[in-house]
Amino acid sequence: MRQITLPASLDQRASRALALELKDASDQGGTIILDGGEVRQVGLSGLQLLLSALRTRASGGADIQIVNASPSLKDSASLVGAFHDA
Amino acid sequence: MTPEEIQAVFLQECEEGLTNAEAALLAIRSGAFDAETINTIFRAVHSIKGGAGAFGFSALQFFTHHFETLLDKVRDGDVAIQPAVVDLLIAAFDMLTDHVAAVRGERGEPDHGAMIAALQDVLTTRRDSPAAAPAAPSGDTRVPDLAFDLDAMLGELTASAVAQEWEVSFAPAGADMRNGGDPLLLVQELIRLGGSIVRIDTDRLPPIDGFDPDQSYLSWVMRLPGALDRAAIAEVFDFVSDEARVDIQLQPVPDDATAAEEPVSLAQLQQEPQEVEVGGFPPASAIAPTPAPLAAKGAGPTIRVDLEKLDRLVNLVGELVITQSMLSQRLGSNAFTNVEEIALLDQLTRELQDSAMAIRAQPVKTVFSRIPRLVRELEATTGKRVRLEVDGEATELDKTVIERIGEPLTHLVRNCVDHGIEAPEVRAQAGKPAEGCLRLAAEHKGSRIVISVSDDGGGIDRARVRDVAVDRGIIAPDVKLSDEEIDQLIFAPGFSTARQVSNISGRGVGMDVVRQNVQALGGRISIRSEPGRGSSFALSLPLTLAIVDGMIVSVGDQSYIIPLTHVVESLRPAPGAVQRTGLGNRILNVRGTFLPVLAVGDLLGVDQAIEDPAQAVLIVVETERSGSAILMVDEIADQRQVVIKSLETHYRQVDGVAGATISGDGRVALILDVENLVGARVGGGGRQWAC
């Protein structure tokens, strides 16, 4: 299992780096835990990346889980209608 | 039926009538009502009046007569529905509730003299609203059919207010993310303008392998109030790229608001949505007032059954499940495996058990229905203004759980209003609406139900909580605590940050008792708080107290059940990974955190348990009071639902044991009380050392 702490600012630049890390981690197999506790700001690119990660998992790909979502991350998730999931 | 039984039925009907009437009154107060809403209240009060007369409850009958008279005039349109009238109806309703409680023997008869005078005052000054009483044609002395007029007026109001609204489609392009631009800010701006998300298209979103951080994959369809100027909406998109797609159209409002498509949720994109904990502080647009029920929903025919009979049925079904399990195991041990009829019997037994449990289930509405009055009283006492939002009140859980969560829930609500939501002037200074929002929600989450009480107040004042905890010797002055750990301090016995002890909360005994009560139900309580934005308390409760999902483990020659709600993971340590501390305790480094290793065999005095951790199975468990710990067992045998049998009924209470069950081979297996088992050894403050 690999744990990755999401950066405070999950903007386009951060999501470029994170996308590479996630692709690398998913190639290696095993569970990937994304800790969202420190996220303070999320851009569209970062949010798309997280949704893509979850979609990957839902479609039987790498087991990527997001835990400990910060309020900022939740707020951003609400912009894609995810506020009903508690 | 005996007269006593008939009277019990009457009192039960009173409760149901009061519940319906209160929901209708709140709908009127929120402005979302129609003629049937008023009829609902009238019918409830009328029925109570009839029963009160039949059983000789003269005070109740007298009061309901006056209440009913005013309701009749409101129903006929003779009395306009003005805020003062609505307040009076609600106050009269509260007094009616007191009258019913007096009939039940729960309190003395209320003094209704002033209230009846107030009801009569309104009747003598009726028709005081020009809006509700259009002038009759000159010379026509007939009383107009005001009920009809009221309906028509409400219809016009509804039609004119929500006839059209803007539908905005927005598909940003990759170029919109360059140079620091972010399309999410535009979506936020539309929400700030009063918009709500109708649909999000995620079809173009690729899996991680094909993901390009510089591309835009999502698009939104949003609705905004028709009253907005189109230019104000278009202005939001002034700086989007030419490749972005923006479409703003005025659309008629759908007749059935519920027909609108639900926004997509992360749940649709993942298999185990519970692992992504979003929620807690939804944006304002996401916590739009829950539509109030306008009329009583048509329910199917019902039958009243004595609770004892139900409990007997549930117990018998529990015995059946155990016997069926024993039969399966016996047949299996005699080489009768894969018998189709046994599989069918197993399935039928499970369905029968589920059905029996469902009979005992009640909607949380029965508990939630107490809250509106409580909030009204708190508003009056504190001078704060609170808007109550309720969601998921149809969620069902076991009657016993329902009966026992009333008190903790009441205290949490008191706490949120008293400590959480700020006074109107303070809120105004913080740029918040003067009216605070208290949100009560219930939802199923796996085999549990989560009830949350959230407010949009100031959040927990952590600096003050810490100071008080130090002052009272709850924590050492130099101890370093995370925000979450500071929040947990409010559950410490005797803790209170109230500057003055009030009669609402602040005696510092409540939150401790809340947690104890919730834990006694096999539940957990958690807090999320953000300074300036509010707090959310979540009660995670079992759906029933009769069955539990458990991991069956063996220790020596004994079998034990560990409730799955505590289990985080299981692991086999490498030789030498479990280390001994100077005090003889054992610890294991689990991904950077040292957790205490507790041998169940040692804790319960079991002979012949495996001593060497490398040969045993370690189960990481989570507890409310003591954090995470590891239970060491010999092996994991199975994982299944088990029927809980009370140990106290048949023997006595045993520390560290929550109950018992009968396993398939007919032996008794004890259900471990993980919270107390770990707490007794580790202590209440938790013992985890981060690397």
Side-chain angles (χ1 to χ4, degrees):
Chain A
M1 188 172 71
R2 183 163 174 185
Q3 179 155 347
I4 299 171
T5 302
L6 297 176
S9 177
L10 196 49
D11 56 12
Q12 192 177 19
R13 195 167 64 173
S15 75
R16 283 187 193 124
L18 184 61
L20 291 174
E21 197 174 359
L22 279 179
K23 284 175 188 172
D24 178 50
S26 61
D27 286 344
Q28 292 176 19
T31 300
I32 303 163
I33 303 286
L34 301 179
D35 187 330
E38 293 182 8
V39 175
R40 296 290 172 268
Q41 186 261 325
V42 188
L44 177 61
S45 184
L47 191 58
Q48 288 185 149
L49 178 60
L50 297 183
L51 290 174
S52 171
L54 296 175
R55 171 158 286 184
T56 303
R57 181 189 184 207
S59 60
D63 182 15
I64 305 172
Q65 301 173 22
I66 305 169
V67 299
N68 192 26
S70 70
S72 301
L73 180 53
K74 290 174 204 164
D75 277 354
S76 297
S78 75
L79 298 179
V80 292
F83 41 76
H84 291 303
D85 298 343
Chain B
M1 289 177 91
T2 66
E4 289 75 21
E5 287 171 332
I6 298 171
Q7 185 171 312
V9 171
F10 161 66
L11 290 173
Q12 179 66 34
E13 286 174 350
C14 281
E15 289 302 320
E16 290 166 9
L18 289 173
T19 302
N20 292 335
E22 182 160 46
L25 278 166
L26 293 180
I28 292 176
R29 183 171 152 170
S30 69
F33 66 98
D34 57 15
E36 181 55 27
T37 315
I38 299 161
N39 268 332
T40 300
I41 308 168
F42 182 86
R43 278 196 299 269
V45 175
H46 183 73
S47 297
I48 294 172
K49 176 184 156 187
F55 288 101
F57 301 128
S58 53
L60 177 59
Q61 186 190 16
F62 185 73
F63 180 75
T64 45
H65 170 72
H66 286 276
F67 192 7
E68 182 193 56
T69 304
L70 175 58
L71 286 167
D72 190 34
K73 297 299 178 190
V74 172
R75 188 174 63 162
D76 287 350
D78 268 2
V79 171
I81 302 176
Q82 297 173 324
V85 172
V86 175
D87 286 347
L88 180 64
L89 290 176
I90 291 173
F93 169 82
D94 287 343
M95 181 153 282
L96 174 59
T97 308
D98 290 345
H99 264 296
V100 172
V103 166
R104 284 181 178 280
E106 294 168 354
R107 52 158 293 157
E109 259 177 24
D111 181 1
H112 57 209
M115 179 61 71
I116 286 177
L119 294 171
Q120 288 174 329
D121 276 353
V122 175
L123 291 173
T124 55
T125 55
R126 65 192 183 191
R127 282 178 168 279
D128 49 359
S129 166
S138 175
D140 186 353
T141 55
R142 288 181 297 119
V143 175
D145 185 352
L146 290 174
F148 173 79
D149 290 344
L150 181 64
D151 284 348
M153 184 184 72
L154 288 170
E156 282 169 17
L157 279 175
T158 308
S160 64
V162 291
Q164 286 190 308
E165 56 190 3
W166 295 104
E167 185 172 286
V168 179
S169 303
F170 174 42
D176 296 310
M177 294 192 289
R178 288 180 203 139
N179 303 322
D182 195 334
L184 278 187
L185 298 175
L186 308 185
V187 176
Q188 282 172 329
E189 180 62 15
L190 292 177
I191 289 172
R192 197 189 63 75
L193 288 173
S196 58
I197 297 170
V198 177
R199 190 168 61 248
I200 296 133
D201 185 356
T202 59
D203 287 350
R204 294 174 53 234
L205 191 67
I208 202 77
D209 284 344
F211 183 80
D212 180 352
D214 297 329
Q215 287 298 316
S216 171
Y217 299 107
L218 305 181
S219 62
W220 284 261
V221 175
M222 301 181 67
R223 288 219 174 92
L224 286 100
L228 281 176
D229 188 7
R230 188 183 193 284
I233 300 172
E235 195 178 328
V236 173
F237 300 103
D238 271 355
F239 297 103
V240 297
S241 67
D242 292 341
E243 291 87 26
R245 186 172 57 78
V246 178
D247 185 34
I248 305 170
Q249 299 281 345
L250 202 55
Q251 299 280 0
V253 177
D255 287 341
D256 180 4
T258 58
E261 288 182 59
E262 287 291 321
V264 297
S265 80
L266 288 185
Q268 293 168 288
L269 297 168
Q270 60 183 127
Q271 288 172 317
E272 295 174 34
Q274 64 271 26
E275 287 168 359
V276 176
E277 296 185 345
V278 289
F281 300 103
S285 64
I287 53 172
T290 307
L294 292 182
K297 282 196 291 185
T302 57
I303 179 173
R304 292 178 195 280
V305 179
D306 187 78
L307 192 57
E308 272 184 30
K309 291 180 184 172
L310 272 188
D311 287 344
R312 187 154 176 269
L313 174 68
V314 171
N315 276 336
L316 285 173
V317 171
E319 299 290 343
L320 181 65
V321 170
I322 291 167
T323 309
Q324 191 273 336
S325 176
M326 292 165 71
L327 177 64
S328 291
Q329 194 155 334
R330 178 72 66 88
L331 287 173
S333 63
N334 285 286
F336 287 100
T337 53
N338 299 323
V339 180
E340 191 179 331
E341 288 79 1
I342 291 295
L344 186 61
L345 179 63
D346 184 47
Q347 184 188 339
L348 286 173
T349 311
R350 293 290 167 195
E351 285 180 17
L352 180 62
Q353 188 181 29
D354 289 345
S355 301
M357 299 312 300
I359 297 175
R360 275 187 59 91
Q362 284 191 315
V364 290
K365 183 180 179 182
T366 50
V367 184
F368 281 9
S369 63
R370 303 179 198 172
I371 305 301
R373 178 174 185 181
L374 176 65
V375 170
R376 288 196 294 276
E377 289 171 352
L378 291 170
E379 280 183 301
T381 315
T382 61
K384 296 176 183 177
R385 290 171 55 197
V386 182
R387 182 176 81 255
L388 178 65
E389 292 179 358
V390 179
D391 194 20
E393 57 186 350
T395 311
E396 292 188 328
L397 76 167
D398 187 84
K399 180 177 168 60
T400 307
V401 182
I402 288 263
E403 284 168 351
R404 288 161 62 181
I405 57 167
E407 196 176 330
L409 202 59
T410 301
H411 195 90
L412 286 177
V413 169
R414 284 177 183 276
N415 214 59
C416 281
V417 176
D418 199 23
H419 297 315
I421 292 174
E422 312 94 326
E425 59 274 13
V426 177
R427 293 180 63 85
Q429 284 170 6
K432 294 179 178 180
E435 191 178 59
C437 177
L438 181 73
R439 189 163 192 269
L440 206 55
E443 65 171 338
H444 280 293
K445 228 177 158 182
S447 61
R448 299 177 79 80
I449 184 172
V450 176
I451 296 177
S452 60
V453 182
S454 315
D455 66 66
D456 66 347
I460 292 175
D461 184 348
R462 295 194 175 111
R464 179 157 174 74
V465 166
R466 189 191 163 86
D467 289 347
V468 171
V470 170
D471 284 349
R472 305 202 171 165
I474 296 171
I475 57 170
D478 56 346
V479 70
K480 287 184 179 174
L481 296 176
S482 66
D483 287 351
E484 288 73 22
E485 286 169 329
I486 293 175
D487 293 346
Q488 291 295 324
L489 290 172
I490 65 172
F491 292 115
F495 183 88
S496 173
T497 60
R499 290 170 200 277
Q500 288 183 320
V501 172
S502 68
N503 61 355
I504 300 167
S505 55
R507 277 181 281 268
V509 294
M511 295 305 281
D512 182 33
V513 174
V514 166
R515 184 161 78 170
Q516 280 176 14
N517 289 350
V518 171
Q519 283 175 341
L521 283 170
R524 298 192 298 267
I525 183 165
S526 58
I527 317 172
R528 290 173 191 279
S529 184
E530 192 170 344
R533 296 194 62 185
S535 303
S536 180
F537 294 83
L539 310 180
S540 172
L541 299 158
L543 286 174
T544 171
L545 302 179
I547 52 177
V548 65
D549 281 311
M551 178 181 277
I552 303 171
V553 299
S554 63
V555 180
D557 60 350
Q558 299 291 320
S559 292
Y560 295 100
I561 314 289
I562 301 177
L564 277 188
T565 50
H566 291 285
V567 176
V568 178
E569 62 180 318
S570 59
L571 41 95
R572 276 190 185 276
V578 174
Q579 299 163 21
R580 285 190 177 272
T581 66
L583 299 171
N585 296 320
R586 285 185 281 206
I587 55 172
L588 176 68
N589 182 347
V590 180
R591 291 183 292 280
T593 303
F594 285 105
L595 300 179
V597 178
L598 311 175
V600 173
D602 289 347
L603 296 174
L604 299 177
V606 182
D607 293 332
Q608 297 171 341
I610 292 176
E611 297 279 340
D612 178 7
Q615 304 296 318
V617 176
L618 303 186
I619 299 170
V620 180
V621 292
E622 196 170 54
T623 66
E624 285 295 331
R625 288 199 309 272
S626 313
S628 298
I630 293 173
L631 295 179
M632 187 172 93
V633 301
D634 291 4
E635 63 178 27
I636 298 170
D638 200 356
Q639 182 176 308
R640 68 166 71 133
Q641 277 193 341
V642 298
V643 180
I644 302 172
K645 294 284 175 189
S646 165
L647 205 58
E648 292 172 56
T649 309
H650 303 286
Y651 179 51
R652 64 177 172 83
Q653 189 177 358
V654 177
D655 289 340
V657 177
T661 192
I662 301 171
S663 58
D665 59 5
R667 298 171 63 196
V668 172
L670 300 180
I671 301 168
L672 298 183
D673 180 351
V674 175
E675 190 71 45
N676 285 325
L677 205 57
V678 174
R681 182 57 68 97
V682 175
R687 195 173 291 177
Q688 298 173 23
W689 300 275
C691 292

